[in-house]
Amino acid sequence: MLVIVLENAPARLRGRLAVWLLEVHAGVYIGDFSQKGREMLWIQIIDGIEDGTAIMAWGTNNEAGYDFVTIGTNRRVPVDFEGVQLISFIPQKPDRANAEKLIIQER
């Protein structure tokens, strides 16, 4: 099984993926492809994602039972931990306006 999730993707990319995959929810696509098919789809995503983000995950024969790739700016970043891909979170930059509101509320 193959799952692709798009965020802030151009309509033309979403339409292109809808030709090959079933869109079960806005920006969420599922299907069943070989490795060559997945690579072709990922190239289409790389070429069309622009400022959006995407993740593609599929079942495979490894310790976790799946593998995935990502593209775009996201707080979630894949990291290799002793051969297993995990997700690490990039700390959020403090928003000055919200920080000032918190300081005022604490007084």
Side-chain angles (χ1 to χ4, degrees), residues 5-6 8 11 14 18 20 29 33 57 61 70 89 99 106:
V5 179
L6 303 178
N8 301 321
R14 293 182 62 193
W20 297 303
Y29 301 84
F33 281 84
N61 190 16
T70 64
F89 285 89
E106 290 178 1

Side-chain angles (χ1 to χ4, degrees), residues 23-69:
E23 187 174 15
V24 294
H25 187 69
V28 179
Y29 301 84
I30 61 171
D32 191 17
F33 281 84
S34 66
Q35 179 180 353
K36 187 169 180 136
R38 286 193 311 266
E39 290 171 357
M40 181 271 305
L41 288 170
W42 192 243
I43 289 169
Q44 297 294 316
I45 292 169
I46 290 170
D47 290 344
I49 196 66
E50 295 179 4
D51 294 330
T53 62
I55 182 168
M56 181 170 68
W58 62 93
T60 189
N61 190 16
N62 64 13
E63 295 81 14
Y66 61 88
D67 204 357
F68 64 93
V69 290

Side-chain angles (χ1 to χ4, degrees), residues 79-90:
V79 293
D80 184 273
F81 184 75
E82 296 182 6
V84 177
Q85 275 196 318
L86 301 174
I87 296 293
S88 176
F89 285 89
I90 298 172

Side-chain angles (χ1 to χ4, degrees), residues 99-107:
E100 289 173 358
K101 287 179 189 175
L102 290 174
I103 292 170
I104 292 170
Q105 288 175 354
E106 290 178 1
R107 289 183 185 172

